[in-house]
């Protein structure tokens, strides 16, 4: 369940006030001779069954495109001291991904070559070096239900204005990536067993909201919801800077922000 937004209690109070006002008005009308009988609210639209289109169409037996629905990959070369994911170096996790995908990061023609160049500014921690480090602060929360936290990590894909979002867990003292997505990200939130990613839309007044939820049978976070929703910013949206979005690439910890708060991409 999504956390309650600020202002919800005010709306509840307003609704309660309206209810009381309605009751008071009804009492006044009754005092003036209103019998208080039931009144018709108008005709009710008839219920209709969903219409199935093209019943003779041959059902598809396999997907047309592989969009990487399931991400479950051991991250080689990254230590998990004591099997505690809080002790994993997030910068090392990103460096391991960069090393595994040189076509994306190595060389001046690679789409994210600036990300690899800025990794030298990270030192031993995420988000340091006066903001030049592309790795964002990690967040920790139990997303699998096993009582142990997972690590949600983000890093900038530069010079493209994209943000990579990754979720890692630990299996047999090995770091395992169980979610991988990148896009022009507006915000990232953790809610229950779900990771929510919000992205701007080309349509003014709307945004994309994608949700990943832990699936025990797949041992991965699966994309369970992909919606386009209205926003309250009056349509002041910027267009996506890139169309290269892809679901996968070719309790509070010490020293980290609370996992109970939304993790906004900065």
């Amino acid at each position: 369940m999504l956390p309650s937004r600020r202002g919800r209690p005010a709306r509840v109070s307003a609704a309660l006030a309206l209810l009381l006002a309605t009751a008071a008005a009804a009492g006044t009308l009754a005092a003036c001779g209103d019998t208080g009988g039931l009144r018709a609210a108008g005709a009710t639209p008839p219920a209709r069954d969903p219409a199935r289109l093209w019943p003779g169409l041959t059902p598809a037996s396999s997907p047309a495109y592989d969009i990487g629905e399931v991400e479950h990959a051991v991250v080689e070369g990254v230590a998990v001291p004591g099997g505690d994911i809080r002790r994993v170096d997030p910068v090392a996790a990103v460096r391991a991904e960069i090393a595994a995908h040189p076509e994306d990061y190595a060389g001046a023609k690679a789409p994210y070559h600036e990300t690899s160049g800025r990794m030298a500014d990270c030192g031993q921690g995420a988000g340091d070096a006066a903001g030049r480090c592309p790795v964002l602060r990690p967040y920790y929360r139990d997303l699998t239900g096993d009582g142990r936290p997972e690590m949600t990590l983000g890093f900038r894909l530069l010079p493209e204005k994209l943000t990579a979002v990754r979720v890692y867990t630990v299996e047999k003292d090995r770091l395992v990536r169980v979610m991988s997505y990148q896009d022009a990200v507006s915000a990232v939130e953790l809610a229950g067993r779900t990771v929510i990613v919000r992205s701007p839309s080309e349509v003014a007044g709307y945004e994309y909201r994608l949700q990943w939820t832990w699936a025990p049978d797949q041992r991965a976070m699966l994309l369970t919801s992909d919606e386009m929703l209205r926003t309250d910013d009056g349509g002041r949206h910027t267009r996506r800077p890139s169309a290269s979005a892809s679901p996968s690439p070719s309790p509070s910890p010490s020293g980290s922000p609370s996992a109970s708060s939304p993790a906004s991409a900065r």
Side-chain angles (χ1 to χ4, degrees), residues 220-242:
M221 306 288 293
L222 298 187
L223 180 60
T224 53
S225 178
D226 185 351
E227 302 174 289
M228 177 183 280
L229 303 175
R230 285 198 60 86
T231 64
D232 57 1
D233 64 357
R236 296 185 297 276
H237 261 181
T238 56
R239 294 180 62 85
R240 287 189 173 190
S242 172

Side-chain angles (χ1 to χ4, degrees), residues 145-169:
D146 64 355
R148 300 183 302 171
E150 276 62 53
M151 177 172 67
T152 303
L153 184 62
F155 60 97
R156 297 295 196 185
L157 297 174
L158 305 168
E160 300 286 347
K161 296 180 180 179
L162 305 178
T163 301
V165 180
R166 307 288 188 259
V167 174
Y168 301 89
T169 191

Side-chain angles (χ1 to χ4, degrees), residues 240-257:
R240 287 189 173 190
S242 172
S244 60
S246 170
S248 61
S250 301
S252 305
S254 59
S256 298

Side-chain angles (χ1 to χ4, degrees), residues 125-198:
D128 57 3
R132 284 190 53 82
C133 175
V135 183
L136 306 177
R137 297 177 301 172
Y139 285 76
Y140 300 90
R141 174 179 284 192
D142 179 10
L143 297 172
T144 65
D146 64 355
R148 300 183 302 171
E150 276 62 53
M151 177 172 67
T152 303
L153 184 62
F155 60 97
R156 297 295 196 185
L157 297 174
L158 305 168
E160 300 286 347
K161 296 180 180 179
L162 305 178
T163 301
V165 180
R166 307 288 188 259
V167 174
Y168 301 89
T169 191
V170 176
E171 295 181 1
K172 299 180 179 179
D173 293 336
R174 299 183 303 174
L175 188 68
V176 178
R177 187 172 58 249
V178 294
M179 176 198 157
S180 179
Y181 182 75
Q182 55 257 5
D183 201 347
V185 172
S186 301
V188 181
E189 300 167 333
L190 302 179
R193 303 283 186 263
T194 301
V195 179
I196 303 166
V197 179
R198 298 177 183 271

Side-chain angles (χ1 to χ4, degrees), residues 68-157:
E69 292 94 340
V70 179
E71 175 75 9
H72 185 276
V74 175
V75 181
E76 301 293 345
V78 179
V80 186
D84 185 357
I85 200 167
R86 293 187 181 93
R87 299 175 63 187
V88 172
D89 181 4
V91 173
V94 176
R95 284 179 173 148
E97 181 168 327
I98 290 174
H101 299 278
E103 69 279 5
D104 292 332
Y105 299 98
K109 294 185 179 180
Y112 313 131
H113 64 273
E114 191 175 329
T115 293
S116 58
R118 288 197 185 185
M119 292 301 294
D121 297 316
C122 293
Q124 296 299 317
D128 57 3
R132 284 190 53 82
C133 175
V135 183
L136 306 177
R137 297 177 301 172
Y139 285 76
Y140 300 90
R141 174 179 284 192
D142 179 10
L143 297 172
T144 65
D146 64 355
R148 300 183 302 171
E150 276 62 53
M151 177 172 67
T152 303
L153 184 62
F155 60 97
R156 297 295 196 185
L157 297 174

